[in-house]
Amino acid sequence: MIAGERLRASLPIAEGTAENNAGTAIPGLTQAEVDNVIAIAKSRYNYDARQYPAATNERSSDDRLVGTSGLSIMSDTQRVSLTGTYTEGLDRALGRTPS
């Protein structure tokens, strides 16, 4: 089995609250709720969600390839399998670049 995925996405997404003039307002979501989630992320995980670098219209890209193969060896009770994963990408949202 081989599976592949390619992602090319513009950042940031246009959804948000009506109070912050988002491109597409999410019904029922308030800016107070968003601020509460941001505060929890900062206090609990030391992650500053307001420093999201996507505000510069950069793009995120990611390529993934997964392969697996199996072989029965001399009986139905013994099996060898090989699995591999390859990932290459640029994830500016998390501040990571390809190595």
Side-chain angles (χ1 to χ4, degrees):
M1 185 272 310
I2 296 178
E5 176 182 85
R6 173 170 260 192
L7 172 69
R8 301 290 183 263
S10 295
L11 298 173
I13 60 173
E15 290 80 16
T17 65
E19 291 115 327
N20 74 1
N21 199 24
T24 304
I26 299 173
L29 182 66
T30 66
Q31 189 61 44
E33 292 170 323
V34 172
D35 292 339
N36 187 37
V37 170
I38 290 170
I40 291 169
K42 181 65 177 172
S43 66
R44 185 167 221 181
Y45 303 105
N46 197 28
Y47 178 77
D48 190 357
R50 294 200 187 272
Q51 295 300 316
Y52 187 70
T56 60
N57 290 328
E58 295 181 7
R59 294 182 60 82
S60 178
S61 63
D62 193 22
D63 297 322
R64 295 181 187 151
L65 184 62
V66 177
T68 184
S69 178
L71 175 66
S72 295
I73 302 175
M74 303 185 72
S75 75
D76 291 334
T77 60
Q78 296 178 334
R79 183 167 176 82
V80 172
S81 77
L82 174 67
T83 302
T85 303
Y86 171 78
T87 302
E88 179 179 312
L90 182 60
D91 192 348
R92 290 191 173 105
L94 297 176
R96 296 186 298 221
T97 56
S99 54

